[in-house]
Amino acid sequence: MGHSAGGQLALCLAAHETSLHQAISLAGVVDLKKAFALHLSHDAVAEFLSGKPDAVPEHYREADPMELSIPHARQWLLHGSEDDTVPPEFSRDYVMQKKKAGESAELLEIPHAGHFDLIDPTSEPSGKSRTQF
């Protein structure tokens, strides 16, 4: 399990480690090429992978959950509907593509939640208690 860039890492690990049977991404950066195109976090993806997608395509192929096959692990993505750091479309598009590929991927979109609400124990997205999710 991981949050934000850690969500990408959790899914990437599941792709490379077949002994893992579940992975959870919390507001994850699950499409690195899209994150690069949108310049998320001041081009953090290019810094992390040592270049742009066209300059180091092998780095993106190895690290981008959107590009990786994860048929052996159930993938859970949780994302706040009002995330302005990593848009919820990242998780929506990811789950749609993975389902088309025959992988097990589920999205739980939390209404009214922002990027950090998913990891802040004092947060109560959509006015519900945390135990109701």
Side-chain angles (χ1 to χ4, degrees):
M1 175 171 41
H3 175 256
S4 199
Q8 171 263 329
L9 292 173
L11 293 171
C12 184
L13 178 62
H16 293 285
E17 181 54 61
T18 58
S19 67
L20 294 178
H21 300 289
Q22 295 188 58
I24 301 170
S25 169
L26 304 171
V29 184
V30 295
D31 185 338
L32 298 182
K33 288 179 184 173
K34 186 175 187 175
F36 172 79
L38 295 174
H39 304 286
L40 291 188
S41 297
H42 309 288
D43 292 322
V45 171
E47 185 177 334
F48 172 61
L49 295 177
S50 302
K52 300 176 181 181
D54 60 346
V56 289
E58 67 281 2
H59 294 187
Y60 285 78
R61 271 193 307 278
E62 187 176 313
D64 192 345
M66 189 66 91
E67 302 289 324
L68 296 168
S69 176
I70 314 173
H72 57 276
R74 186 149 193 200
Q75 302 165 61
W76 291 94
L77 288 84
L78 283 73
H79 216 118
S81 67
E82 295 183 18
D83 189 331
D84 60 358
T85 303
V86 178
E89 290 78 22
F90 274 66
S91 290
R92 290 180 199 139
D93 294 346
Y94 179 89
V95 167
M96 185 172 26
Q97 181 170 318
K98 292 299 182 167
K99 284 185 174 189
K100 284 181 184 176
E103 296 182 28
S104 176
E106 299 295 330
L107 172 62
L108 176 58
E109 192 165 331
I110 311 298
H112 311 293
H115 189 67
F116 295 101
D117 290 328
L118 301 178
I119 59 169
D120 180 356
T122 65
S123 165
E124 294 191 29
S126 74
K128 297 179 180 178
S129 73
R130 290 177 295 282
T131 57
Q132 291 178 309
F133 281 42

